[in-house]
Amino acid sequence: MTAPRMITDLERDTSSDEDSDDSAPIVRDRKIIVANFLPVSSQKDPISGKWSFTLDEDSILVQLKDGFSPDTEVIYVGSLKADVDTAEQEDVAQKLFKEHKCIPTFLPPELHKKFYHGFCKQHLWPLFHYMLPFCLDKGDLFDRSLFQAYVSANKIFADKVMEAINSVDDYVWVHDYHLMLLPTFLRKRLSRVKLGFFLHSPFPSSEIYRTLPVRDEILKALLNADLIGFQTFDYARHFLSCCSRMLGLSYESKRGYIGIEYFGRTVSIKILSVGVHIGRLESVLNFQATLDKVQEIKQQYKGRKLLLGVDDMDIFKGISLKFLGLELLLERNPELREKIVLVQIVNPARSTGKDVKEARDEAITVAERINLTYGSKQYQPIVLIENPVCFYEKVAFYAVAECCIVNAVRDGMNLIPYEYIVCREGTKEIDNCRGIEVNSPHTSTLIVSEFVGCSPSLSGAFRVNPWSVEDVADALYRAIDLTEPEKQLRHEKHYRYVSSHHVAYWARSFAQDLERACNDHYKRRCWGIGFGLSFRVLALSPEFRKLSVDHLVSSYKKTCRRAIFLDYDGTIMPEASISKTPSREIISILNSLCSDPKNIVFIVSGRGRTSLDEWFASCEALGIAAEHGYFIRWNKAAEWETDSVILDSEWKKIAEPVVKLYTETTDGSFIESKESAIVWHYQYADHDFGSCQAKELLSHLESVLANEPVVAKRGQHIVEVKPQGVSKGLVVEKLLRTMVHNGKPPDFVMCIGDDRSDEDMFESLSDTANSKLFPSVPEVFACTVGQKPSKAKYYVNDTTEVIRLLKAIASVSTQNDKDTRSHVSFKLPPEIVE
């Protein structure tokens, strides 16, 4: 673990300095957009050798600026799609920043190949689309060198982002799976960086994701962001499940926002699919070239219903399955032959490899077979367009096609359905070109795979299982057979959603949530801990600090009435220890503390009194509060007291059968019976199923025990039923009040614990110490074990440090006892003095 560090002055907000000049320029809101590729087109003049760059207006990275305020400065960080000679890189970088506010990363060609075509496309892309590496002979085995390239590339991106950041007020928005390690590298350099991440691809289920050898490193890196965005709830749910199962993290929803607690920080989760730029599409619709293309398409397919598919050429787009669905439709419905045609536009593949070639060959083979079987010289059921198609041509096809089909077997951000809906809504010019009267209703029909990110938002579409050819064929028939009023209703429903959830809405919503997620950056003290990709920021209360031996001993020496409360498991006994019997060292330390007449020492534990009585039999003066304080004994000679008047255990006869039922149906769970309580443990059960069963059990117990004087509570992997009014917090308060009542109000109180139940002690101690119970405010040392969010003011790292603290103050008591005995032994009698 690296040395904890406080945030430097450079990371603090200096906008309120007294010496600031009133005439200083107003700092603009700045957003730094980071993606694998910059949203620019590059061209080098072959004669002059000069580079020219133009912004790609169709890029979502450019379009999202509409969601920010007009005075926001937007800076882009990413790679160029063109190779730039090393000698030219400095000039190109200056030109890009001056003209387009772009900062290029210039990855070395070999590194870029391993990073993008290697780790991203060979490992992450297939895995995130649910494809496991089954065949080792295909070279699918995890390659550690490719991951090292991924790490190196992310570090280079981090360097460039740090160049772009002017102050801690800048917001950084990282896009997609290529840069999932970037949050760690940025957080390591700037602990309070305002950082959002949006995943445009799917996120797989935990059963798929857990096969990735570097699964923990990537999860921990993503959790260094303040806000993580996903296209759908399914993808977010899978991510949360991975965090829960693999990292043991918990999450909850508060007022509509989902958050993961991660070392004192709350990492927010955002769920919202990306939209399209309505204005951009409408402007392209009005191009003369688009209008001409619309006329050409209408003439070419006159008298036939035009179906449209637009997909990248890769193995997940389901192009061949789409063709097979059409084949089955034509086979079952001969009357549709010569009347429908599917135009399939194939965008260039984003990666190369054997799989892409196989997918292309398969699609061509299936299309040729169908055309040969059901086509003629004048008619081809499938028109496969593989040559590059300009955007305005695609828009023209959208405007004319009566049905659009997206049949991907797994996809994240797919905007084709949204673009199709907007184009079918059209403009005045395009309606005139298509022969549609002014103010006439528009129509559109969509067939969408269940596994596409935009599917949940398109409730009026025909949703299909792309693996079922019958499903696809049936959806095609129903889409073709729709009445005009039905088409109008479906289109209006879709257009209402698409026109309100456009790209600007998406960007604005994400930016607002990111701002909200960063609100408490300056309310907590931040510590950077961990090596390499395990680095994270520990965010704690400003008053939270490590309890030093010197400070504790100094206060201990000055006081004369002390109360010491110690938890057992995880505090003076390591959780990992197999034998829970206290060591001779612990017994010796406790006896030293108890032998000091100025001390009252208590073990406050959730364990039963029988075990504690047996373990601490040799500690005559030690007080014990067993079962969270239900049983109390001031010393070994005293009788056990019950903290509650409840003597009747009839409630157990009601609760036990219920708990037993859930134990039988939840493999790995077990029951712990105490004198005062029943505890159901599920830490060894399946994480998700155990949590689900715990929730149901809690509800069931609350229902059947509604009229009983007990309470059912859920804890860390447990559900516990115990008497009302029993907790560690209440027992500490009772013990302190007893000391005050006996005329011995403590001037020193120390309380050490490690888990949730001990937080009750810390809270109660704080409230009691600040009340009017004590004549004077005592020295209070509420200390938790481990650096984590706590209601305690102090922390120590582990049980070893707890023992060290106890040994230090025990030695003070031992020394005082020796000094007292020595003074008594050598004091002269009065008669000799005379």
Side-chain angles (χ1 to χ4, degrees):
M1 184 174 68
T2 60
R5 68 182 184 91
M6 288 297 293
I7 306 308
T8 65
D9 290 339
L10 292 176
E11 296 182 41
R12 299 187 185 279
D13 185 5
T14 57
S15 60
S16 59
D17 289 350
E18 294 180 2
D19 298 332
S20 61
D21 187 357
D22 292 339
S23 62
I26 298 175
V27 179
R28 295 176 63 190
D29 185 22
R30 298 176 86 243
K31 300 283 196 300
I32 300 168
I33 309 299
V34 192
N36 184 32
F37 289 116
L38 290 171
V40 295
S41 300
S42 312
Q43 190 172 3
K44 186 176 183 180
D45 190 302
I47 299 174
S48 65
K50 292 184 177 180
W51 286 92
S52 61
F53 304 98
T54 55
L55 274 182
D56 181 5
E57 297 295 334
D58 295 324
S59 170
I60 194 171
L61 300 178
V62 175
Q63 295 173 354
L64 63 76
K65 289 197 299 183
D66 286 1
F68 306 147
S69 60
D71 59 344
T72 301
E73 181 183 8
V74 179
I75 296 171
Y76 297 101
V77 177
S79 296
L80 283 170
K81 294 181 181 178
D83 292 329
V84 179
D85 189 79
T86 307
E88 301 176 292
Q89 288 179 1
E90 184 62 32
D91 291 338
V92 166
Q94 291 182 11
K95 183 179 178 66
L96 276 168
F97 189 77
K98 182 179 179 181
E99 294 179 357
H100 304 297
K101 294 289 183 180
C102 291
I103 300 177
T105 53
F106 295 127
L107 299 181
E110 186 62 26
L111 176 63
H112 183 267
K113 181 180 178 182
K114 287 185 175 181
F115 156 65
Y116 182 66
H117 295 289
F119 191 74
C120 290
K121 289 301 181 182
Q122 289 183 27
H123 290 302
L124 292 181
W125 178 256
L127 187 79
F128 278 31
H129 288 75
Y130 288 68
M131 184 177 179
L132 292 174
F134 289 116
C135 304
L136 303 185
D137 60 336
K138 285 189 174 183
D140 293 332
L141 190 64
F142 183 80
D143 188 340
R144 179 66 62 170
S145 68
L146 297 183
F147 177 66
Q148 291 301 329
Y150 185 78
V151 173
S152 299
N154 275 253
K155 283 183 178 179
I156 293 174
F157 272 84
D159 292 338
K160 294 300 180 181
V161 173
M162 290 306 299
E163 290 179 17
I165 293 177
N166 279 352
S167 74
V168 289
D169 291 323
D170 294 349
Y171 288 89
V172 181
W173 186 357
V174 182
H175 290 261
D176 225 3
Y177 66 97
H178 316 90
L179 303 171
M180 290 191 293
L181 300 182
L182 192 53
T184 285
F185 297 130
L186 293 178
R187 186 72 62 190
K188 194 169 187 177
R189 300 187 192 189
L190 195 61
S191 295
R192 288 195 174 102
V193 63
K194 296 176 179 179
L195 179 58
F197 179 92
F198 193 89
L199 184 67
H200 294 273
S201 75
F203 194 92
S205 69
S206 60
E207 294 304 312
I208 299 293
Y209 180 79
R210 71 195 310 169
T211 63
L212 185 65
V214 290
R215 61 192 190 183
D216 287 358
E217 290 89 332
I218 289 177
L219 283 180
K220 291 175 181 177
L222 288 174
L223 289 169
N224 275 317
D226 294 297
L227 177 66
I228 306 173
F230 297 92
Q231 296 275 357
T232 70
F233 173 71
D234 274 350
Y235 304 158
R237 179 170 55 85
H238 293 161
F239 174 77
L240 293 170
S241 177
C242 287
C243 290
S244 179
R245 286 173 173 267
M246 296 168 207
L247 302 181
L249 301 177
S250 60
Y251 60 90
E252 61 180 345
S253 179
K254 289 183 179 178
R255 297 183 179 180
Y257 295 103
I258 301 174
I260 304 174
E261 290 301 318
Y262 188 60
F263 290 93
R265 297 170 49 247
T266 299
V267 182
S268 298
I269 302 298
K270 174 76 173 176
I271 303 166
L272 183 63
S273 60
V274 183
V276 295
H277 196 290
I278 308 292
R280 172 63 177 164
L281 287 169
E282 289 177 345
S283 66
V284 176
L285 280 169
N286 291 333
F287 287 175
Q288 186 58 48
T290 306
L291 300 175
D292 293 342
K293 186 66 179 178
V294 166
Q295 290 287 9
E296 178 188 328
I297 295 169
K298 285 181 61 183
Q299 186 62 35
Q300 184 177 356
Y301 300 104
K302 186 177 181 180
R304 295 190 174 104
K305 290 194 174 184
L306 177 62
L307 314 178
L308 179 66
V310 180
D311 301 282
D312 295 342
M313 177 51 75
D314 73 44
I315 57 176
F316 301 110
K317 298 304 180 185
I319 297 175
S320 297
L321 293 172
K322 186 189 305 182
F323 292 169
L324 292 175
L326 180 69
E327 181 181 35
L328 183 60
L329 176 72
L330 295 175
E331 177 187 331
R332 290 178 174 177
N333 304 277
E335 70 279 5
L336 294 178
R337 299 170 191 173
E338 302 276 344
K339 294 181 180 179
I340 60 171
V341 59
L342 171 61
V343 174
Q344 177 64 54
I345 299 174
V346 179
N347 300 322
R350 299 186 186 184
S351 60
T352 58
K354 185 178 179 181
D355 290 337
V356 175
K357 184 179 182 302
E358 288 177 352
R360 178 181 178 275
D361 291 344
E362 181 182 56
I364 292 173
T365 301
V366 174
E368 288 177 347
R369 186 187 73 230
I370 295 171
N371 286 338
L372 185 64
T373 305
Y374 299 105
S376 63
K377 291 182 179 180
Q378 293 78 29
Y379 168 68
Q380 285 190 324
I382 298 176
V383 177
L384 192 59
I385 302 176
E386 287 194 280
N387 54 296
V389 177
C390 296
F391 187 63
Y392 78 86
E393 293 181 283
K394 292 179 187 176
V395 167
F397 273 106
Y398 289 147
V400 177
E402 293 191 34
C403 176
C404 180
I405 175 170
V406 177
N407 202 52
V409 296
R410 185 69 61 179
D411 209 353
M413 181 181 67
N414 193 318
L415 299 179
I416 301 300
Y418 294 168
E419 292 175 348
Y420 168 71
I421 291 164
V422 174
C423 292
R424 287 292 289 180
E425 180 67 17
T427 62
K428 183 179 179 180
E429 289 77 6
I430 205 75
D431 285 352
N432 184 54
C433 180
R434 290 169 55 197
I436 298 176
E437 296 181 5
V438 179
N439 297 325
S440 294
H442 296 83
T443 63
S444 64
T445 310
L446 273 171
I447 299 174
V448 180
S449 163
E450 303 170 355
F451 306 113
V452 175
C454 60
S455 175
S457 62
L458 299 171
S459 56
F462 292 104
R463 294 197 184 102
V464 296
N465 174 6
W467 297 102
S468 171
V469 176
E470 288 80 4
D471 255 16
V472 177
D474 182 55
L476 283 168
Y477 182 82
R478 292 166 63 197
I480 293 167
D481 198 44
L482 273 182
T483 62
E484 286 300 308
E486 182 71 16
K487 291 179 184 178
Q488 291 168 14
L489 288 173
R490 290 172 183 263
H491 173 78
E492 288 169 4
K493 186 176 187 179
H494 288 158
Y495 187 74
R496 277 196 303 272
Y497 176 84
V498 174
S499 59
S500 59
H501 291 73
H502 42 70
V503 66
Y505 172 83
W506 169 71
R508 181 167 56 253
S509 180
F510 189 90
Q512 288 171 349
D513 279 8
L514 178 57
E515 184 177 348
R516 179 190 54 80
C518 299
N519 277 342
D520 63 347
H521 270 200
Y522 290 97
K523 297 177 183 177
R524 295 180 178 271
R525 208 164 164 227
C526 294
W527 302 68
I529 58 175
F531 282 122
L533 294 176
S534 293
F535 176 86
R536 66 269 188 199
V537 166
L538 183 66
L540 303 169
S541 167
E543 295 81 22
F544 193 72
R545 58 184 181 274
K546 187 171 184 179
L547 180 57
S548 69
V549 174
D550 293 342
H551 180 40
L552 181 66
V553 169
S554 174
S555 296
Y556 187 84
K557 287 179 177 179
K558 296 174 185 177
T559 51
C560 58
R561 291 184 304 275
R562 313 181 190 106
I564 300 172
F565 305 105
L566 303 172
D567 175 43
Y568 187 65
D569 293 285
T571 301
I572 57 177
M573 174 59 63
E575 287 283 6
S577 178
I578 297 175
S579 173
K580 297 299 182 180
T581 305
S583 65
R584 290 182 180 179
E585 181 184 30
I586 292 175
I587 296 295
S588 175
I589 292 171
L590 291 175
N591 276 329
S592 296
L593 291 172
C594 292
S595 64
D596 191 332
K598 298 177 182 179
N599 294 344
I600 296 291
V601 184
F602 262 85
I603 294 292
V604 184
S605 173
R607 286 189 175 272
R609 59 176 172 173
T610 304
S611 299
L612 294 174
D613 186 28
E614 179 185 340
W615 291 340
F616 296 104
S618 58
C619 300
E620 299 283 344
L622 178 67
I624 295 177
E627 299 193 17
H628 299 297
Y630 184 81
F631 296 106
I632 300 173
R633 189 179 71 183
W634 285 84
N635 53 59
K636 188 176 181 180
E639 296 292 327
W640 286 100
E641 305 171 10
T642 55
D643 189 50
S644 175
V645 296
I646 300 174
L647 299 174
D648 185 13
S649 59
E650 285 297 314
W651 63 268
K652 284 190 175 183
K653 296 178 181 179
I654 302 172
E656 281 176 344
V658 176
V659 179
K660 187 177 179 181
L661 172 64
Y662 282 81
T663 305
E664 292 172 351
T665 57
T666 310
D667 192 28
S669 65
F670 63 93
I671 302 172
E672 177 189 3
S673 292
K674 299 180 180 179
E675 290 183 69
S676 68
I678 298 175
V679 186
W680 185 70
H681 295 262
Y682 63 94
Q683 64 263 42
Y684 303 120
D686 177 86
H687 188 278
D688 287 346
F689 183 59
S691 296
C692 179
Q693 290 288 81
K695 184 179 178 181
E696 288 296 321
L697 173 59
L698 182 65
S699 176
H700 196 160
L701 288 170
E702 287 175 341
S703 175
V704 299
L705 297 172
N707 298 320
E708 300 296 328
V710 292
V711 60
K713 286 190 175 182
R714 187 174 174 183
Q716 185 73 19
H717 297 127
I718 65 165
V719 174
E720 184 174 19
V721 187
K722 60 182 181 181
Q724 292 175 352
V726 175
S727 73
K728 287 187 178 182
L730 292 174
V731 74
V732 165
E733 182 181 349
K734 177 182 178 179
L735 294 173
L736 289 174
R737 288 185 181 276
T738 303
M739 291 178 69
V740 173
H741 180 73
N742 293 338
K744 298 179 180 180
D747 52 6
F748 174 99
V749 182
M750 183 174 76
C751 178
I752 307 179
D754 74 300
D755 63 16
R756 289 182 182 179
S757 63
D758 299 314
E759 293 297 316
D760 292 338
M761 281 201 293
F762 303 146
E763 186 176 18
S764 175
L765 190 56
S766 175
D767 294 342
T768 306
N770 293 323
S771 68
K772 296 180 180 180
L773 177 66
F774 301 102
S776 60
V777 179
E779 286 267 19
V780 176
F781 294 91
C783 179
T784 187
V785 181
Q787 293 185 52
K788 58 182 182 288
S790 173
K791 293 172 184 174
K793 188 176 180 180
Y794 299 95
Y795 76 90
V796 291
N797 287 322
D798 50 35
T799 55
T800 304
E801 292 194 2
V802 174
I803 300 301
R804 189 180 300 128
L805 286 173
L806 296 177
K807 188 183 292 185
I809 59 176
S811 65
V812 173
S813 292
T814 303
Q815 186 61 44
N816 289 342
D817 183 50
K818 288 181 179 179
D819 292 344
T820 302
R821 280 184 284 145
S822 174
H823 178 70
V824 172
S825 299
F826 291 97
K827 187 175 180 180
L828 294 173
E831 61 271 18
I832 296 179
V833 173
E834 292 174 358

